[in-house]
Amino acid sequence: MFNIIPKADCAATTLKHSENIFHEALCLKESYYHVETEDGEEYDISYVKNNDLVPENYRNAKKGIEIYPQYLKYDENATEMLDISLLKSVRYIFCYTLNEYSVVIARLALKYTDAEIYFTNSLAKIFFDKIERLHIVEKFPAFNENEVLQITDEKFRSGYFEGTFRKISSVPAFHSIFFRQSLTDLKLENIKFVEVSIAKNVGVGGILSYYSQVKKFFEQYNWTTYLNAKSTRYEPEMLQKYFKLDSKPQDSTPDNTIYLQDVVQITATYRYLDFSAEIDKNILTDKFRAEMDEYAEVVLGNHNTLGILIRGTDYIVSKMGGVRKMATVDDMLPTIRQWIDEDGYDLIFLATEDQDILDRMRNEFGKMIRVVSQVRHSVRDFGNAKLLSDLEKKEQEDNSGLVEDNTVNYFYALYILSECQSFMASGQCHGWNVVNSFNQGKFKRCYKFQVGINS
């Protein structure tokens, strides 16, 4: 992406301003240019890689995968490959920053919507003909947050992690519009399939949630989705043993298939919010489901049970923020005690991979706590590791069955949570999605903490 800045006194190639200035500059592949207009005005453009703008903790979580493509080539006139739903969802667009993407977004909004566009940078006038709905102001007018898209120049805001796309950075805003152009060079009429790869740091709950949601997402284009069985950290045979997942169709070829490197290319878009991560128990093999039904009956019996999911370990070590920041036990205790007092729960079924959290909950509630037996870790176990999958990989070298055991036990825990009378979770995670999907709205009470939503 090119930032647009006042002209500096430095050596650089000089270009003539035109409507296609950004495309011309991208083709030349230099990182800094002076630009002159026919009226004698001058400005500079400076290139920055999109992913260099993404915070380190986000990049670490994705293990080097590009969250946002570089978009060295894109076509704002290829309307069939654009998604302008984000722009159509608002009445006003406030551009706090002037760069290649905010200019392109504003041009598209002026062309395809009735939105009013505002810039505070006076250089913006160079990039637009005089249009009634384009305003260059010193200060943005008062507004209703639900009606405005704010393209902010503050700290990086993805929309996805903050839980709202009403105030986001220019890169995720641009990606939400142009993402289909980043997926393939195939002609639209030739596309039939999407092969989805899911990163090896994603657990089984995430695999099922992502797979189900992305499958629904691509159905809007009449494309059939299947999982790249070798992409996850699980052996394909193990996944097929427990879950019903579509395999690669025989007629899928490079001439008709999009190969999605990672689901983050889709999950980071505004459109993705329209598709739920709901799955049902039919995704489980009949044998696995029967075994879990039997186990849940033994564990829960006739108890009035409060199910609690508390994530820790790698959520703490990797410093996840926004909707992915987890509430601590201290954050949750007042609500837990209130629910017990009001509803008379005599059992707590706790799901956690964090040994410190389990110890703390047992100190607070003693014999009320029940858990599935599984390998648990504390933050101090991580050392240089950032994610739980890193520890599992190291441990698997000594025990080849560990990943399968952990997966099965974790899924048992989620299944039992779905059978409890009420449920609360420490924050947004795939376990929250799976539990609620399996329960199908039958919980007496259901609550997700969101302690990082305003961070």
Side-chain angles (χ1 to χ4, degrees):
M1 176 188 73
F2 281 105
N3 287 313
I4 301 167
I5 54 180
K7 184 181 180 182
D9 185 14
C10 62
T13 300
T14 299
L15 302 177
K16 294 293 184 181
H17 174 78
S18 72
E19 185 176 342
N20 294 318
I21 182 64
F22 303 120
H23 295 295
E24 293 171 12
L26 288 170
C27 288
L28 293 173
K29 299 181 181 179
E30 294 181 30
S31 60
Y32 197 97
Y33 300 92
H34 299 312
V35 186
E36 296 178 346
T37 72
E38 289 184 356
D39 297 332
E41 292 193 70
E42 298 174 309
Y43 63 92
D44 288 357
I45 55 176
S46 176
Y47 184 77
V48 59
K49 290 183 178 179
N50 290 340
N51 275 281
D52 287 349
L53 300 171
V54 179
E56 184 180 4
N57 59 323
Y58 292 178
R59 297 199 305 268
N60 287 339
K62 284 301 169 185
K63 295 287 187 178
I65 293 172
E66 280 194 345
I67 297 176
Y68 300 101
Q70 292 309 307
Y71 288 107
L72 300 179
K73 292 183 179 180
Y74 62 90
D75 185 354
E76 53 267 62
N77 296 312
T79 55
E80 73 281 1
M81 293 295 279
L82 299 176
D83 187 320
I84 57 173
S85 57
L86 174 61
L87 306 183
K88 285 187 171 182
S89 70
V90 295
R91 295 180 60 189
Y92 308 96
I93 298 176
F94 291 175
C95 297
Y96 292 76
T97 182
L98 179 66
N99 57 44
E100 172 190 1
Y101 289 177
S102 62
V103 168
V104 172
I105 290 168
R107 286 174 176 170
L108 290 173
L110 291 169
K111 184 175 182 179
Y112 294 111
T113 79
D114 296 325
E116 302 280 335
I117 316 298
Y118 292 81
F119 282 90
T120 54
N121 190 323
S122 60
L123 281 175
K125 68 180 184 295
I126 297 172
F127 297 90
F128 301 91
D129 295 328
K130 189 173 181 181
I131 299 175
E132 202 172 291
R133 291 186 290 116
L134 177 70
H135 312 277
I136 298 176
V137 296
E138 292 186 1
K139 183 180 179 181
F140 293 115
F143 62 93
N144 180 329
E145 288 186 0
N146 292 326
E147 295 182 328
V148 177
L149 169 62
Q150 300 179 70
I151 300 179
T152 179
D153 60 353
E154 297 177 7
K155 66 178 183 178
F156 190 84
R157 295 181 65 92
S158 69
Y160 173 69
F161 283 100
E162 293 79 16
T164 175
F165 277 74
R166 285 292 174 261
K167 186 177 184 179
I168 57 175
S169 299
S170 53
V171 170
F174 185 91
H175 179 62
S176 282
I177 298 168
F178 285 88
F179 66 89
R180 279 203 288 170
Q181 294 188 21
S182 73
L183 300 180
T184 184
D185 292 327
L186 294 174
K187 291 183 178 180
L188 188 62
E189 61 268 22
N190 293 337
I191 301 170
K192 293 177 61 178
F193 305 105
V194 181
E195 179 182 278
V196 176
S197 294
I198 297 179
K200 295 187 184 300
N201 62 356
V202 177
V204 67
I207 291 173
L208 299 181
S209 294
Y210 279 142
Y211 175 72
S212 299
Q213 199 163 7
V214 170
K215 187 174 182 177
K216 295 171 188 173
F217 182 92
F218 285 121
E219 283 176 354
Q220 68 181 310
Y221 309 120
N222 295 317
W223 299 341
T224 299
T225 303
Y226 65 91
L227 179 66
N228 176 358
K230 295 182 179 179
S231 66
T232 77
R233 73 175 186 254
Y234 305 103
E235 293 296 328
E237 295 78 13
M238 194 212 85
L239 291 176
Q240 293 297 334
K241 180 178 177 181
Y242 299 106
F243 309 107
K244 299 174 184 175
L245 300 171
D246 295 331
S247 56
K248 180 178 179 178
Q250 290 185 348
D251 55 340
S252 171
T253 70
D255 294 328
N256 61 20
T257 303
I258 292 174
Y259 298 95
L260 192 65
Q261 181 189 18
D262 189 272
V263 292
V264 70
Q265 293 173 262
I266 300 303
T267 61
T269 66
Y270 173 75
R271 171 70 80 170
Y272 189 72
L273 297 179
D274 290 340
F275 299 87
S276 73
E278 287 187 5
I279 56 178
D280 60 40
K281 294 178 181 179
N282 290 325
I283 202 167
L284 308 171
T285 61
D286 294 342
K287 183 175 183 294
F288 189 37
R289 180 175 175 179
E291 290 171 349
M292 289 195 292
D293 279 332
E294 183 177 352
Y295 189 81
E297 186 175 349
V298 171
V299 171
L300 301 179
N302 295 319
H303 290 283
N304 185 18
T305 307
L306 170 59
I308 302 177
L309 173 61
I310 310 179
R311 300 301 307 271
T313 58
D314 53 347
Y315 280 80
I316 298 171
V317 173
S318 60
K319 299 179 182 179
M320 293 188 187
V323 294
R324 297 278 173 170
K325 183 177 181 180
M326 294 292 136
T328 65
V329 173
D330 285 336
D331 293 327
M332 299 176 71
L333 279 175
T335 305
I336 294 172
R337 292 199 171 103
Q338 177 188 345
W339 285 19
I340 291 173
D341 289 343
E342 293 176 355
D343 295 345
Y345 301 109
D346 62 325
L347 187 71
I348 294 174
F349 181 79
L350 174 66
T352 184
E353 81 290 1
D354 192 307
Q355 185 62 47
D356 295 335
I357 289 173
L358 174 57
D359 292 342
R360 178 71 194 286
M361 288 290 286
R362 278 178 167 160
N363 287 337
E364 293 289 337
F365 298 103
K367 294 182 178 179
M368 281 186 70
I369 298 292
R370 286 193 184 174
V371 297
V372 168
S373 177
Q374 67 181 84
V375 175
R376 291 184 172 85
H377 300 277
S378 63
V379 169
R380 59 183 172 273
D381 294 333
F382 276 68
N384 294 326
K386 292 292 185 183
L387 300 171
L388 198 58
S389 56
D390 296 330
L391 282 186
E392 279 191 347
K393 182 177 179 181
K394 183 176 182 297
E395 292 166 343
Q396 191 182 18
E397 294 173 1
D398 302 319
N399 182 354
S400 61
L402 183 63
V403 171
E404 181 169 354
D405 289 343
N406 285 351
T407 300
V408 172
N409 291 338
Y410 172 67
F411 221 82
Y412 265 78
L414 296 184
Y415 195 88
I416 294 171
L417 285 172
S418 74
E419 296 292 315
C420 294
Q421 276 68 44
S422 293
F423 172 53
M424 70 171 67
S426 55
Q428 177 57 45
C429 60
H430 295 295
W432 165 265
N433 296 336
V434 171
V435 171
N436 278 286
S437 296
F438 283 176
N439 182 264
Q440 296 184 327
K442 294 180 290 187
F443 287 126
K444 179 177 182 179
R445 299 198 199 206
C446 186
Y447 183 72
K448 175 177 63 179
F449 286 81
Q450 294 181 309
V451 295
I453 196 69
N454 295 318
S455 64

